[in-house]
Amino acid sequence: MEQIVQQIEQYKQEMQAFEAHTPDLVEAFRIKYLGTKGLVKTVMGEMKNVPVEQKKAFGQVLNEFKEFAEQRYALLKEHAGEQTDTGTSAKDITLPGDLFPVGTRHPLNLVKNQIISIFRRLGFAVAEGPEIEDDWHNFGAMNLPEDHPARDMQDTFYINQNPDWLLRTHTSSVQARVMENQKPPIRVICPGRVYRNETISARAHCFFHQVEGLYIDENVSFADLKQTLYFFVQEMFGQHVKVRFRPSYFPFTEPSAEMDISCQICGGEGCNICKHTGWVEILGSGMVHPKVLENFGIDSTKYTGFAFGMGVERITQLKYQVNDLRLYSQNDVRFLKQFTGVI
Ligand code: 2NL
């Protein structure tokens, strides 16, 4: 087998050196290598002489040889005529060129940009921060007690222990940095990737994308929270959307509430997406806990604030009916291409 492999290598070198400036020469190449009595066919005939245990490896060599010959032929064919000195070309150079395939924006980025533009109109600035955080900015400052389950190794990816560095589990850490560096009034949203140690499935992933928001000033009330978030979903989903708030609990807000919108799939009639309730949860929110304010030297008797956090995947799922989280990171162009034309 070694001998024949060497022979193949030699043929490949010959093919590489083969020059064909005219269609006749290209045809000669085809007959010599790819014709019914060509060298590729001849070499393939050697398969019957190869011992059984080497057949698989030899098959691979053969396939690769055949592809090489075909590619070389295609290339010669394409360039034949280009270097003729007759002054005429086989190509019509006045034809319009081939269009470049144009990519699309990722659906998560489309939705993130829409969210940002809605809050921009309400005067929110955009802040970004590191994905690797320390314990204080991710947990401590947010009023999460030492024994809170979110701090558990099972839930959080730790990069280092003592001092603790971790992959941020929410973008509250960015808002913590804003509060560290700015005085109220503060009005920011923080979009970004966050990480949680989850087993990957259609409904859970080890990373997802959040937009959190924070508004601190004098006299900021729960009514402001409700109206801001109501405005947001109307801009995002349409004027007809209904909202409801349910009491909830987060260590960093008090009181806390989750916001549901009327199901965009069935219009509130009841379907699989809303589990036949007519409502789907889209975000968590609440009035910033006084301890969180005080952690940054903000006088909680003078200032109040509201905050919220939403998952970009969730909003995208509701807007575009994407029902498997894994699609977002598989980079399958059949999925991504469906968002062509959405700005
Ligand atoms: C959720 C819930 C929430 C916040 C995030 C926040 C940030 C600061 C202070 C207080 Cl700096 N709160 N963020 C508040 C309530 C809920 O997220 O389910 N997110 C996907």
Side-chain angles (χ1 to χ4, degrees), residues 1-10 12 58 61:
M1 177 170 140
E2 231 164 76
Q3 224 179 345
I4 182 87
V5 171
Q6 255 176 16
Q7 182 69 60
I8 288 176
E9 273 314 307
Q10 202 186 324
K12 277 164 77 171
F58 188 59
V61 174

Side-chain angles (χ1 to χ4, degrees), residues 253-271:
T253 47
E254 182 60 33
S256 306
E258 263 149 342
M259 188 171 95
D260 296 344
I261 58 169
S262 47
C263 182
Q264 300 302 295
I265 310 293
C266 64
E269 293 289 305
C271 68

Side-chain angles (χ1 to χ4, degrees), residues 36-233:
T36 29
K37 289 183 187 155
L39 285 169
V40 170
K41 278 267 156 61
T42 314
V43 172
M44 284 195 159
E46 289 295 323
M47 183 59 112
K48 61 179 183 300
N49 303 326
V50 169
V52 180
E53 65 278 10
Q54 292 184 358
K55 277 197 195 295
K56 196 173 162 206
F58 188 59
Q60 274 173 2
V61 174
L62 284 182
N63 278 339
E64 199 241 343
F65 179 50
K66 186 166 171 241
E67 266 171 39
F68 185 92
E70 283 167 349
Q71 277 173 14
R72 187 74 194 133
Y73 172 59
L75 200 75
L76 289 175
K77 207 162 127 176
E78 194 182 316
H79 293 290
E82 273 182 7
Q83 290 161 30
T84 49
D85 50 13
T86 60
T88 57
S89 162
K91 284 189 174 167
D92 179 355
I93 58 166
T94 64
L95 285 172
D98 291 338
L99 293 177
F100 285 106
V102 177
T104 61
R105 273 194 209 287
H106 193 280
L108 291 177
N109 272 333
L110 290 169
V111 171
K112 180 187 79 175
N113 290 343
Q114 286 173 34
I115 299 171
I116 291 174
S117 95
I118 296 168
F119 282 104
R120 269 239 163 94
R121 281 188 274 142
L122 291 173
F124 283 79
V126 176
E128 290 188 315
E131 293 188 5
I132 299 175
E133 267 297 0
D134 51 51
D135 182 89
W136 170 250
H137 290 97
N138 196 77
F139 292 132
M142 286 300 126
N143 199 31
L144 264 87
E146 287 292 337
D147 59 356
H148 194 280
R151 290 184 179 227
D152 211 301
M153 296 281 285
Q154 264 87 50
D155 294 348
T156 302
F157 290 115
Y158 283 87
I159 305 274
N160 192 56
Q161 283 190 289
N162 261 330
D164 286 352
W165 294 333
L166 46 90
L167 296 182
R168 66 185 182 193
T169 58
H170 47 198
T171 58
S172 306
S173 55
V174 182
Q175 283 149 307
R177 289 176 181 279
V178 171
M179 288 188 279
E180 221 166 47
N181 296 313
Q182 293 175 34
K183 287 189 176 9
I186 289 172
R187 213 190 265 153
V188 284
I189 52 168
C190 302
R193 184 174 286 182
V194 301
Y195 300 82
R196 296 192 188 167
N197 194 353
E198 302 252 13
T199 307
I200 295 170
S201 72
R203 291 148 175 272
H205 213 293
C206 58
F207 63 77
F208 64 98
H209 300 79
Q210 254 201 329
V211 176
E212 285 212 11
L214 176 69
Y215 177 22
I216 304 172
D217 202 347
E218 290 178 45
N219 300 317
V220 174
S221 71
F222 203 90
D224 296 321
L225 178 158
K226 287 172 78 175
Q227 199 57 37
T228 303
L229 296 177
Y230 183 39
F231 175 81
F232 163 68
V233 292

